[in-house]
Amino acid sequence: MRILFIAPRVHPNQVPIIEGFIENGDEIFYCVSHKNKYEEYAGATVKVISPSLIYKCYNNYLIKKHGENYAEKSSLYSFIPNIKELRKIIKKIKPAVVVVRNRSLFSLVTFWICKYLNIKKVLLYNQTPIYQKKQSTSIKKSFKIFYFSLFPKNRITVSRYNDYFLSKSGHKIIKDENAYFVPFVARIVQSDMNKEYFDNNKVRILDSGKFRDYKNHYLLVSLAKSLRSQGFSNFRITIQGQVTNDEEMKYYDDLQNLVINDKLSEFISLEKGLNYGKMQELFLNHDLFILASRKEVANISILDAMAYGLPAISTSANGTSDYITDGYNGAIYKTNDVDSLSEVIIKYLKNPESIVIQGNNAKITAKENFNFGTYYSAFMNVFNNL
């Protein structure tokens, strides 16, 4: 089967999915707006689509006005492809199914090209949760219904809730009847590698993410200061992240300077420029994984960490936080709350044996629930019912 994905780029969370499809005998194609030097494609055929002239002008304006990071974020929804080029590529591929990423202009153009080419099976993939808190109606509701009608009706998502505590809060929640849960896939092939916990009796903590403000790495500086003030010294924190432009470099430098000025170099080290494939060594050489972000639509790093035997500690504002069973294979803390995070980490520092137990549970969870077979079964169920 030929499957075409339309997306801004080939995100690392798609690598094990691509590998699974190809091992299954499927052909995977990607049409993207840009490539990243740290990306892997795992055998997929990837084509960068030229932007339309109007988008080129708009993007240049955004870069000059707001900077590269802002322009990149905006492009996720505002990128307009060269329609003639995209239509020619889709016609040549003749995909059995097209999966478009998000309700973006790129996806909108693709969907209507598919209609023109009589390609009937088109799915929307986003990370909006299936269940959400019920909100009061507003005058924007009619426009929202109209806007959604311009895209594929059926969608797949890796997220069930946008906040860990939502299902436990007593709020009325509503279900999107056109949404289907298709989970992330962990790199299970790596999870069987031998792992040794601790080094010189230190609990090694890892955080991984772009060096950008929303990743909230400064929370880990506050964590280290809090732990030190309470007399704990048996921990080390590694913050690993992407640095691809001047803004990310400035964030990295500012964070590094703060670590030095607060005399925390003994406890915190920063790593930059590692790609998805080289993360294996970091996972094998750490004991706990922390997601510090203020808000994550659906983070896969916690799942990658679990596959390597690391208990995952996630912010509650994360669409994949319910991949974790609190106290069994990781823990959940209140978003951007250093006291809540400190409380969780101190339990591990006082009882390191629990890290080994929960790490093994995490590995089992990843292998049994987040393998390609589980993904493929869910995906094909949606495909066959389109």
Side-chain angles (χ1 to χ4, degrees):
M1 182 169 67
R2 290 188 161 199
I3 305 171
L4 171 62
F5 290 90
I6 303 293
R9 66 185 181 96
V10 182
H11 195 283
N13 61 38
Q14 297 299 294
V15 171
I17 294 172
I18 294 170
E19 291 173 339
F21 273 124
I22 290 176
E23 287 178 12
N24 192 61
D26 299 305
E27 294 182 81
I28 303 300
F29 300 85
Y30 263 85
C31 288
V32 299
S33 59
H34 65 277
K35 288 183 177 181
N36 184 305
K37 66 180 181 180
Y38 296 118
E39 289 170 355
E40 295 180 54
Y41 305 120
T45 302
V46 181
K47 172 65 176 176
V48 178
I49 303 299
S50 303
S52 63
L53 179 60
I54 189 171
Y55 175 75
K56 282 183 181 179
C57 297
Y58 177 66
N59 191 55
N60 289 336
Y61 164 77
L62 288 183
I63 292 174
K64 292 178 182 178
K65 184 75 174 177
H66 300 289
E68 291 183 20
N69 285 350
Y70 183 92
E72 180 188 318
K73 186 176 180 180
S74 174
S75 71
L76 299 179
Y77 294 92
S78 64
F79 176 79
I80 304 173
N82 181 308
I83 297 176
K84 185 177 180 180
E85 177 185 345
L86 181 60
R87 182 181 63 192
K88 183 178 179 181
I89 291 172
I90 295 175
K91 186 176 181 180
K92 182 178 180 181
I93 293 173
K94 297 179 181 177
V97 61
V98 178
V99 182
V100 298
R101 180 74 168 92
N102 292 329
R103 292 184 178 94
S104 66
L105 292 178
F106 195 2
S107 297
L108 180 67
V109 170
T110 300
F111 181 47
W112 288 94
I113 287 176
C114 288
K115 280 185 171 291
Y116 175 78
L117 295 175
N118 202 31
I119 297 172
K120 298 184 182 300
K121 296 199 174 189
V122 185
L123 265 175
L124 173 69
Y125 162 53
N126 65 14
Q127 296 175 350
T128 302
I130 293 175
Y131 299 94
Q132 298 187 59
K133 188 189 302 183
K134 188 174 183 179
Q135 298 175 345
S136 59
T137 57
S138 69
I139 58 174
K140 296 180 181 179
K141 185 175 181 180
S142 296
F143 174 76
K144 186 177 180 180
I145 293 173
F146 167 73
Y147 180 70
F148 279 18
S149 71
L150 300 176
F151 297 89
K153 178 181 179 182
N154 295 298
R155 71 180 179 94
I156 55 176
T157 178
V158 295
S159 177
R160 285 172 286 216
Y161 301 94
N162 58 5
D163 191 291
Y164 182 82
F165 300 116
L166 179 61
S167 61
K168 304 171 177 30
S169 64
H171 286 289
K172 289 183 178 180
I173 56 176
I174 56 174
K175 180 183 179 183
D176 182 349
E177 298 297 338
N178 296 314
Y180 301 87
F181 179 70
V182 179
F184 272 139
V185 177
R187 276 190 156 177
I188 305 301
V189 67
Q190 304 289 7
S191 67
D192 287 327
M193 303 188 73
N194 292 327
K195 176 174 177 58
E196 295 183 6
Y197 290 90
F198 317 122
D199 181 48
N200 295 322
N201 295 318
K202 307 293 184 184
V203 175
R204 301 161 299 174
I205 301 169
L206 175 66
D207 181 23
S208 177
K210 297 177 181 179
F211 282 108
R212 296 188 181 182
D213 182 65
Y214 78 95
K215 287 295 185 180
N216 203 23
H217 300 115
Y218 287 90
L219 179 67
L220 299 180
V221 176
S222 298
L223 171 65
K225 291 168 70 175
S226 174
L227 295 176
R228 181 178 62 181
S229 69
Q230 296 179 69
F232 292 96
S233 59
N234 60 327
F235 69 94
R236 296 292 181 270
I237 299 173
T238 301
I239 302 174
Q240 180 274 328
Q242 168 186 298
V243 176
T244 57
N245 58 47
D246 291 341
E247 291 177 65
E248 291 172 351
M249 191 70 240
K250 183 180 184 306
Y251 181 98
Y252 173 89
D253 289 339
D254 290 346
L255 186 62
Q256 184 73 275
N257 290 334
L258 181 62
V259 170
I260 295 171
N261 293 337
D262 285 349
K263 297 180 172 55
L264 292 170
S265 299
E266 176 187 355
F267 300 106
I268 300 178
S269 61
L270 274 58
E271 300 275 354
K272 61 182 178 181
L274 295 178
N275 64 26
Y276 187 78
K278 293 180 180 179
M279 285 298 296
Q280 172 182 315
E281 184 178 350
L282 278 177
F283 284 128
L284 289 174
N285 292 329
H286 286 81
D287 310 303
L288 287 174
F289 183 86
I290 292 179
L291 180 66
S293 307
R294 290 188 182 88
K295 185 177 181 180
E296 287 278 355
V297 179
N299 181 272
I300 193 176
S301 296
I302 60 168
L303 185 55
D304 290 332
M306 290 166 68
Y308 281 90
L310 280 70
I313 293 87
S314 173
T315 169
S316 57
N318 169 28
T320 50
S321 56
D322 71 339
Y323 286 29
I324 299 170
T325 302
D326 199 344
Y328 173 74
N329 51 24
I332 310 296
Y333 70 95
K334 294 178 182 177
T335 302
N336 201 32
D337 188 325
V338 69
D339 293 331
S340 176
L341 179 57
S342 295
E343 184 179 342
V344 168
I345 298 303
I346 287 172
K347 288 180 181 179
Y348 287 114
L349 296 181
K350 287 182 175 180
N351 183 19
E353 294 80 9
S354 67
I355 296 175
V356 181
I357 295 170
Q358 291 189 24
N360 287 326
N361 293 339
K363 190 185 296 186
I364 292 169
T365 300
K367 177 175 285 190
E368 291 183 352
N369 300 315
F370 304 111
N371 55 67
F372 180 74
T374 304
Y375 173 93
Y376 188 75
S377 177
F379 182 88
M380 291 305 297
N381 179 60
V382 180
F383 172 81
N384 291 327
N385 286 285
L386 280 178

